[in-house]
Amino acid sequence: MGLTIAQKIIKEHLISGEMTPGSEIALKIDQTLTQDATGTMAYLEFETMGIPRVRTELSVAYIDHNTLQSGFENADDHRFIQSMAKKYGLYFSRPGNGICHQVHLERFGKPGKTLIGSDSHTPTGGGIGMLAMGAGGLDVAVAMGGGAYYITMPKMYKVNLTGKLNPFVTAKDVSLEILRLLSVKGGVGAIIEWGGPGVETLSVPERATITNMGTELGATTSIFPSDEVTRAFLAAEGREADYRELASDPDAVYDKVIDINLSTLRPMIACPHSPDSVVAVNMLKGTKVDQVCIGSCTNSSLHDMLKVAALLKGKTIKPEVSLSISPGSKQVLTMLADCGALSDILASGARVLECACGPCIGMGFSPNSGGVSLRTFNRNFEGRSGTADGKVYLVSPETAVAAALTGEITDPMLLGEMPEVVMPEAFKIDDSAIIAPASLEDAKDLPILRGPNIKAFPDSRPQDDVLEAPLVLKVGDNITTDHIMPAGSKILPYRSNIPHLSQYCFGVCDETFPERAKAAGESIIVGGNNYGQGSSREHAALVPLYLGVRAVITKSFARIHAANLINAGIMPLTFKNPEDYNKVSQDDVLRLSDVYAGMDSGEMMLTNVTTGEQIPLTCSFTKRQKEILKAGSLLKYVAKEGN
């Protein structure tokens, strides 16, 4: 039996375990990346390991999230990360150099390599045939130290593409279509491989848009073949030597196959407040638009920006609309300026923002109160934009331009003929904003620069064999990490200060939660399906840990968040019968007995002390995960094992 692309890379990097879906496997990691919203904590964790140098082939620290320096906090974190990178052997991408996923695709990604990053959209690297996965900061820290990355061996899905995209129909529309078909939990436990004859019609930036959005399916990662299109992209970046051909075997077996004819697709739009709430753009025609944002790690490549500039050339956006443009990297911005496309964008009335994540994480450019914002981003969770009642829609750059020009949701196919966009044969290479680390000898005497906002990693303790605690919060389905630990310009500067950050935990759901959780001492949270979807931010586990949460019981979990809970020493448990979710209420006192035996058997009995109900739970912990929980956290487990 043949192998899929992902199975080939996994086989090459397999340290332990069997490649059987559902089994735990350990992978050697070639590359890591961090960004500043998650990086400070990851480097604090790495520092505690006492390892003098990173042991990966390449590790890069990017500054792209907290670039708004309205106080000392973000600047201090950036200085800390830069000093860590210089001392411990990482490359450092300076603020303004670009979004981590865009820059990594341009300058560092290699087909066939493994990459984990402390950002959930790390699968962008699958656009050039990498096995690239989002992970919690602790997992990234361990990988930087030379440790293995542990995951459950995924199932294999294939999306078979035929045909060719019509003008004004884009890779973003492909992503929205697969979300419409599968939902935000349709890829959980799977790697999605994109194949078929339609693949060769898609450029690397288009492929990267699709693998980026695969995160919203809950997939472990997404991956494209590495072919002549990949070779041409790497050659244009001056990196043809990094090319490697990768394709699945003709007799590879998939657990699911989805067919999409690119020729039949039309412009799509995701409605508030979920990426899978997808309809055709023409179904919402005439809806008034207040704001349009073009950019983010999903749609900020030179390919996207040149199309935007061509559509805006000689035109002016509606006076009632505010339009922002965020190029994905310094390379993109410089090339836009050199060819005159930047002038066309500016002349239209658009505001050009820094090469950073910006509005995607609520870091500026929030919509007006109750405003409708069309964004080329990957997420439209409630409140994520920075405006609590903002109505955020997800669209392609072409649909975004159409709205900016007309002042309402408009099918871009009505704009007339699509201007021809010719990509350059070579990109402009300037790595001056990427700082190399010091030599091992020079690094010995280098100081680590810490600001007063950087606080210690929250302490954890081993799970007891009996847990009796109040249910301090009960929430519903599809709770995101933005619900648990919001982003935004007011909160993100405190990513390295867990005590301060804790006052915002679950603020979207219940502003009283932090106070009640601290008063309880120890507590339990209950949730619905797909709990913890969205960002890989481990703060969504570390802050509840700080507030005394010992277990989270749900109908189902998102992959990365479940792993982050275990790494923090919090037990993720599921209802054996989903309808038993209705047998507990907020403020009930719950008891778990024989926890260790339950970890081994995969079943526990939950007693609702308040009502007397007995509720069966299930869990699926590997031997290693059980030891992590018994040690109290991944950090304490690593220290104990000497890994």
Side-chain angles (χ1 to χ4, degrees):
M1 184 175 72
L3 299 177
T4 69
I5 299 169
Q7 287 169 339
K8 290 181 179 183
I9 300 174
I10 289 171
K11 186 176 180 180
E12 291 176 0
H13 292 80
L14 191 65
I15 295 173
S16 65
E18 300 292 328
M19 290 174 53
T20 305
S23 301
E24 184 179 63
I25 57 173
L27 298 176
K28 176 186 178 294
I29 297 301
D30 300 316
Q31 299 184 357
T32 68
L33 67 81
T34 62
Q35 37 89 341
D36 45 321
T38 57
T40 303
M41 195 59 63
Y43 296 120
L44 287 170
E45 293 156 358
F46 177 80
E47 192 179 29
T48 66
M49 297 178 189
I51 297 170
R53 200 77 167 174
V54 295
R55 295 171 177 169
T56 51
E57 293 178 10
L58 175 84
S59 287
V60 188
Y62 292 93
I63 307 299
D64 62 0
H65 275 58
N66 293 352
T67 57
L68 181 64
Q69 295 173 331
S70 58
F72 67 87
E73 294 87 358
N74 287 343
D76 278 3
D77 278 1
H78 299 166
R79 187 178 65 160
F80 168 76
I81 293 172
Q82 185 171 355
S83 68
M84 286 289 297
K86 190 173 184 180
K87 185 176 182 69
Y88 288 106
L90 296 92
Y91 285 83
F92 178 79
S93 179
R94 300 179 67 171
N97 191 50
I99 302 170
C100 57
H101 309 305
Q102 177 67 28
V103 177
H104 209 86
L105 198 74
E106 293 170 351
R107 307 305 304 140
F108 297 114
K110 295 182 180 182
K113 295 293 185 178
T114 53
L115 164 70
I116 65 169
S118 59
D119 188 285
S120 56
H121 291 105
T122 303
T124 304
I128 53 170
M130 297 190 82
L131 188 71
M133 295 167 283
L138 261 170
D139 283 319
V140 175
V142 169
M144 287 193 294
Y149 179 50
Y150 291 81
I151 61 170
T152 299
M153 180 65 192
K155 296 176 287 186
M156 298 290 146
Y157 291 177
K158 183 176 184 180
V159 182
N160 188 52
L161 299 177
T162 57
K164 183 179 181 180
L165 293 172
N166 290 304
F168 295 103
V169 185
T170 74
K172 185 62 162 286
D173 299 307
V174 178
S175 294
L176 294 175
E177 172 66 5
I178 195 68
L179 276 159
R180 185 186 70 83
L181 292 172
L182 296 184
S183 86
V184 290
K185 57 183 180 181
V188 172
I191 291 176
I192 298 176
E193 178 183 309
W194 295 79
V199 163
E200 64 187 28
T201 70
L202 299 174
S203 66
V204 165
E206 289 173 314
R207 297 175 183 189
T209 290
I210 291 170
T211 54
N212 176 286
M213 287 290 289
T215 299
E216 310 318 318
L217 295 164
T220 302
T221 192
S222 302
I223 192 166
F224 273 83
S226 177
D227 53 16
E228 288 304 312
V229 175
T230 316
R231 185 201 291 271
F233 175 82
L234 291 171
E237 287 286 351
R239 300 198 293 122
E240 189 171 3
D242 291 338
Y243 173 72
R244 171 190 171 187
E245 183 180 4
L246 278 171
S248 58
D249 292 330
D251 56 342
V253 176
Y254 298 89
D255 298 278
K256 180 183 288 189
V257 177
I258 301 111
D259 294 307
I260 295 179
N261 184 346
L262 298 175
S263 303
T264 64
L265 293 183
R266 291 295 180 267
M268 310 294 282
I269 185 168
C271 303
H273 296 284
S274 181
D276 63 356
S277 183
V278 175
V279 298
V281 169
N282 59 19
M283 291 183 66
L284 298 177
K285 62 181 180 180
T287 303
K288 182 181 178 297
V289 172
D290 301 289
Q291 183 195 68
V292 174
C293 300
I294 298 174
S296 88
C297 59
T298 314
N299 283 117
S300 61
S301 66
L302 181 64
H303 184 251
D304 283 325
M305 292 294 159
L306 287 175
K307 289 190 294 179
V308 168
L311 288 169
L312 289 174
K313 186 174 183 178
K315 301 172 184 174
T316 304
I317 63 173
K318 281 287 184 178
E320 300 82 12
V321 176
S322 180
L323 170 62
S324 75
I325 308 285
S326 304
S329 68
K330 186 179 74 169
Q331 181 183 95
V332 172
L333 180 59
T334 302
M335 294 185 72
L336 286 174
D338 288 351
C339 73
L342 183 61
S343 295
D344 294 331
I345 291 172
L346 289 170
S348 73
R351 293 168 58 183
V352 175
L353 307 184
E354 189 175 24
C355 301
C357 300
C360 182
I361 50 168
M363 190 61 72
F365 217 80
S366 298
N368 55 284
S369 178
V372 170
S373 178
L374 265 61
R375 300 180 165 211
T376 67
F377 303 169
N378 40 45
R379 289 180 178 150
N380 59 344
F381 302 146
E382 187 174 12
R384 180 178 169 89
S385 67
T387 300
D389 59 354
K391 300 177 180 63
V392 175
Y393 296 78
L394 304 179
V395 296
S396 70
E398 286 85 335
T399 301
V401 170
L405 293 174
T406 63
E408 57 189 37
I409 295 177
T410 302
D411 188 333
M413 301 180 88
L414 299 176
L415 291 180
E417 187 174 341
M418 181 70 196
E420 184 180 4
V421 172
V422 179
M423 290 292 291
E425 291 186 5
F427 297 112
K428 186 170 185 176
I429 309 304
D430 177 7
D431 291 333
S432 59
I434 299 173
I435 301 173
S439 68
L440 184 59
E441 183 63 30
D442 291 342
K444 291 178 181 177
D445 298 322
L446 290 177
I448 298 300
L449 306 175
R450 306 173 201 276
N453 187 51
I454 298 175
K455 304 300 182 184
F457 186 85
D459 195 22
S460 60
R461 65 178 182 81
Q463 282 288 350
D464 295 323
D465 200 36
V466 176
L467 170 63
E468 183 170 315
L471 170 52
V472 290
L473 186 68
K474 183 179 181 182
V475 290
D477 293 341
N478 296 321
I479 289 296
T480 72
T481 48
D482 279 270
H483 288 104
I484 304 168
M485 200 57 259
S489 59
K490 295 179 181 179
I491 301 174
L492 278 174
Y494 298 100
R495 286 292 188 221
S496 55
N497 186 340
I498 298 297
H500 183 93
L501 202 63
S502 68
Q503 65 185 298
Y504 302 103
C505 189
F506 277 109
V508 177
C509 303
D510 183 350
E511 292 182 350
T512 69
F513 169 76
E515 183 180 351
R516 292 188 296 103
K518 289 182 74 172
E522 290 189 334
S523 59
I524 295 171
I525 291 173
V526 166
N529 280 311
N530 202 27
Y531 180 89
Q533 69 158 325
S535 169
S536 66
R537 65 188 71 145
E538 63 182 347
H539 299 78
L542 295 180
V543 173
L545 167 69
Y546 174 80
L547 291 172
V549 175
R550 304 292 290 154
V552 180
I553 305 169
T554 72
K555 296 179 183 179
S556 66
F557 286 94
R559 176 187 71 88
I560 299 176
H561 186 63
N564 285 345
L565 288 173
I566 294 170
N567 288 348
I570 298 173
M571 283 192 298
L573 306 168
T574 57
F575 292 104
K576 185 173 184 179
N577 305 306
E579 59 272 19
D580 286 346
Y581 167 89
N582 298 314
K583 293 182 178 180
V584 295
S585 300
Q586 194 160 299
D587 298 326
D588 284 351
V589 175
L590 308 179
R591 182 193 298 129
L592 289 165
S593 302
D594 300 320
V595 169
Y596 290 174
M599 287 184 187
D600 291 333
S601 68
E603 294 190 355
M604 293 188 196
M605 187 61 69
L606 176 71
T607 300
N608 187 331
V609 177
T610 302
T611 66
E613 290 270 11
Q614 296 284 301
I615 302 169
L617 306 177
T618 62
C619 56
S620 182
F621 301 129
T622 66
K623 180 180 178 182
R624 176 176 172 273
Q625 289 173 331
K626 285 183 277 189
E627 293 304 316
I628 291 171
L629 290 168
K630 290 176 182 178
S633 69
L634 178 58
L635 269 183
K636 291 188 174 180
Y637 169 77
V638 170
K640 179 182 176 183
E641 296 296 312
N643 290 348

